[in-house]
Amino acid sequence: MTITVSIDAMGGDHGPSVTIPATLSFLGKHSSARALLVGDQRQIEAILARADSAIRGRIEIVHASEVVGMDEPPASALKNKKDSSMRVAINQVKSGQAQACVSAGNTGALMATARFVLKMLPGIDRPAIASSLPSQTGETLMLDLGANVDCTAEHLRQFAIMGAALESALRHDPNPKIGLLNIGEEEIKGNEIVKQAAELLRASDLNFIGNVEGNDIYKGTADVVVCDGFVGNVALKTSEGLAKMLVDFLKEAFNRNVFTKMAAAIAMPALRNFKNRIDPRLYNGATLIGLRGVVLKSHGSADALSFETAITKAYVEVEENVLEKITERIARLHAASSTSPIP
């Protein structure tokens, strides 16, 4: 099966200088994939002129005359930039020309545009941003990571349903463990919204294991961790900062003198494995879950390796029929849970 991914070539801090090399590398590893590069045709063609002809043959350029700024208000981008590379890329999914879209552009604008163009899945009020973080047991899926800073208990329940569906589709686990991020494991902990959400989840058919704390994300206590977008984004950015700090500390320690450099040479295989376990670039790419289409958000400052990771995630989600599986599971779980009103 040929899978086509629509790429917002102009989005992010670096634009085509990152998105196009990442796309070429991705296509080189996935012979059944095609790409639509959306953006300024002249800029894209200039970079593609150096590409391998076989790979170039699986790329189509879709011209877009506008670019959404990284700091541009979402409402302005949605109203005034209908020919932006971001919107045209999402339109390719809407029209069926592509099965997934990847952008490193403005998060708020991407969410607003994707929601406007693709609409929501039945039974879901708001889309959420979901991505995986490394843990001692593998990976922990976490949502929401920044789309919704203010949430109701019902929104958190919907996030749990979507997270369970995504985890099931990607990891082939029919009953993933769901945890609700809180300041303590006890049922009496947390604000009223979190307490209400816990009651809704206990009454659902989900495999809800109760409240989890921040350190449980990395222990792998739960397969899916649910929280509002404010808390989730803080946790994500803290994790990225911690990972970078640890790597920088190790570099500094091993470069102090000739003896530490010799020790680094001996420990290089272990150090490389450690770096790969915590490297944020290898976890880049967050799913805008809840939409009637596969859309992934890459980190705005992504390099080529990081952006390629996001493209690969989009490809895998299509390959695994994630959208269809999510739709089926949402319908089933939402129907089973809808009889439990908010207290």
Side-chain angles (χ1 to χ4, degrees), residues 118-334:
L118 298 175
K119 312 305 180 187
M120 301 297 302
L121 289 171
I124 298 300
D125 297 329
R126 297 181 180 181
I129 298 176
S131 191
S132 295
L133 297 175
S135 74
Q136 292 176 324
T137 59
E139 296 181 9
T140 299
L141 182 70
M142 190 170 176
L143 73 167
D144 178 25
L145 295 177
N148 307 279
V149 296
D150 295 306
C151 296
T152 66
E154 172 60 20
H155 293 147
L156 293 176
R157 180 180 70 164
Q158 291 176 13
F159 296 167
I161 292 172
M162 293 191 291
L166 181 60
E167 180 72 10
S168 294
L170 293 178
R171 317 282 183 233
H172 306 289
D173 181 353
N175 201 29
K177 296 178 290 185
I178 311 298
L180 183 63
L181 192 59
N182 204 340
I183 57 173
E185 297 179 358
E186 300 86 356
E187 293 184 9
I188 62 171
K189 292 290 183 69
N191 57 37
E192 289 305 312
I193 290 176
V194 172
K195 290 178 183 177
Q196 290 175 3
E199 291 188 31
L200 290 177
L201 291 173
R202 279 191 289 270
S204 74
D205 289 343
L206 295 169
N207 183 15
F208 179 55
I209 63 172
N211 294 328
V212 295
E213 299 180 78
N215 58 344
D216 288 307
I217 298 170
Y218 305 100
K219 288 180 182 178
T221 304
D223 300 309
V224 180
V225 172
V226 177
C227 59
D228 66 53
F230 184 92
V231 171
N233 193 264
V234 171
L236 175 65
K237 297 299 173 58
T238 301
S239 301
E240 292 173 348
L242 176 61
K244 185 179 185 304
M245 183 187 72
L246 291 174
V247 171
D248 289 345
F249 278 1
L250 282 173
K251 287 181 179 179
E252 180 183 340
F254 280 114
N255 281 300
R256 282 179 180 164
N257 53 57
V258 65
F259 300 107
T260 58
K261 289 179 180 179
M262 291 173 60
I266 296 171
M268 188 57 65
L271 291 172
R272 188 176 294 112
N273 181 62
F274 169 76
K275 181 180 179 181
N276 290 339
R277 287 286 299 274
I278 67 170
D279 189 347
R281 298 179 302 169
L282 302 180
Y283 296 90
N284 183 47
T287 303
L288 272 57
I289 192 170
L291 300 168
R292 295 178 184 265
V294 176
V295 179
L296 266 82
K297 169 68 174 75
S298 165
H299 202 294
S301 61
D303 62 10
L305 172 60
S306 185
F307 195 79
E308 181 186 348
T309 301
I311 301 174
T312 302
K313 282 188 176 182
Y315 176 87
V316 170
E317 289 195 17
V318 176
E319 189 176 45
E320 293 292 333
N321 296 312
V322 164
L323 190 62
E324 291 79 3
K325 292 175 182 177
I326 288 175
T327 303
E328 293 171 2
R329 185 162 181 130
I330 286 172
R332 186 171 69 250
L333 292 178
H334 193 274

